Amino acid sequence: MPPVSSITRTYTFCAAHRLHTEQLPDDVNQKIFGKCNNLNGHGHNYTIQVTVQGELDTKTGLITDVIQLDQIVHETIITRFDHQHLNFDPAFKNLTTTGENLARVIWGILVDQIPSGQLEKIGVVETRDNFFEYVGDPKQ
Ligand code: NI
């Protein structure tokens, strides 16, 4: 097995959300999600960690084209979610806007767009105390 390196790039955006699922009655939503179920939602300053793994290019010593990666993440993630209400994004039509699901949605958007190397994992820092990671199928 060839040596594998990884690089993690960090991005930030602000978004609102409300933890609520139509699949459960209102009182159960309230019980499970507590104040995060408040009707008007609330916001977070999200930090997203995108980790790409792969072999080093023998000439550049790089795993992936970071400039291109940044451009892709800005175009597909940041412009899409920054200063938006996540509950109104089509990706969350049937998904609660938990950090777990946000990491999963971001994986799905990026997995086929990594310039070189492979997406290894997505990290989502939601609050000081909440960090989520998702590792999905490398080919979707
Ligand atoms: Ni929240």
Side-chain angles (χ1 to χ4, degrees):
M1 198 174 127
V4 173
S5 302
S6 70
I7 175 174
T8 299
R9 290 286 289 167
T10 297
Y11 308 91
T12 58
F13 65 85
C14 312
H17 78 153
R18 178 193 181 211
L19 293 184
H20 184 86
T21 173
E22 297 295 337
Q23 296 173 64
L24 294 169
D26 286 353
D27 62 325
V28 178
N29 270 287
Q30 176 58 44
K31 195 176 168 203
I32 293 171
F33 298 124
K35 65 181 181 181
C36 297
N37 183 241
N38 282 347
L39 196 59
N40 292 327
H42 60 276
H44 294 289
N45 295 319
Y46 288 99
T47 297
I48 305 301
Q49 299 172 353
V50 176
T51 302
V52 175
Q53 67 172 16
E55 292 181 60
L56 303 186
D57 182 282
T58 51
K59 292 194 183 74
T60 64
L62 299 173
I63 299 165
T64 197
D65 184 332
V66 174
I67 294 168
Q68 210 182 329
L69 178 67
D70 285 355
Q71 199 178 338
I72 289 162
V73 172
H74 280 279
E75 283 170 7
T76 63
I77 307 295
I78 310 303
T79 59
R80 177 170 175 172
F81 296 128
D82 189 37
H83 287 74
Q84 300 296 318
H85 196 302
L86 298 181
N87 294 52
F88 298 122
D89 187 282
F92 292 101
K93 192 169 184 290
N94 298 308
L95 286 178
T96 51
T97 51
T98 57
E100 290 93 327
N101 276 334
L102 180 57
R104 187 176 149 197
V105 163
I106 292 171
W107 174 282
I109 293 168
L110 291 179
V111 64
D112 288 334
Q113 302 211 51
I114 303 302
S116 58
Q118 278 194 330
L119 189 58
E120 182 185 328
K121 63 183 172 185
I122 297 294
V124 171
V125 182
E126 187 185 56
T127 66
R128 187 196 63 183
D129 300 330
N130 282 342
F131 174 62
F132 307 92
E133 279 185 301
Y134 184 78
V135 178
D137 188 337
K139 288 193 171 67
Q140 290 195 335

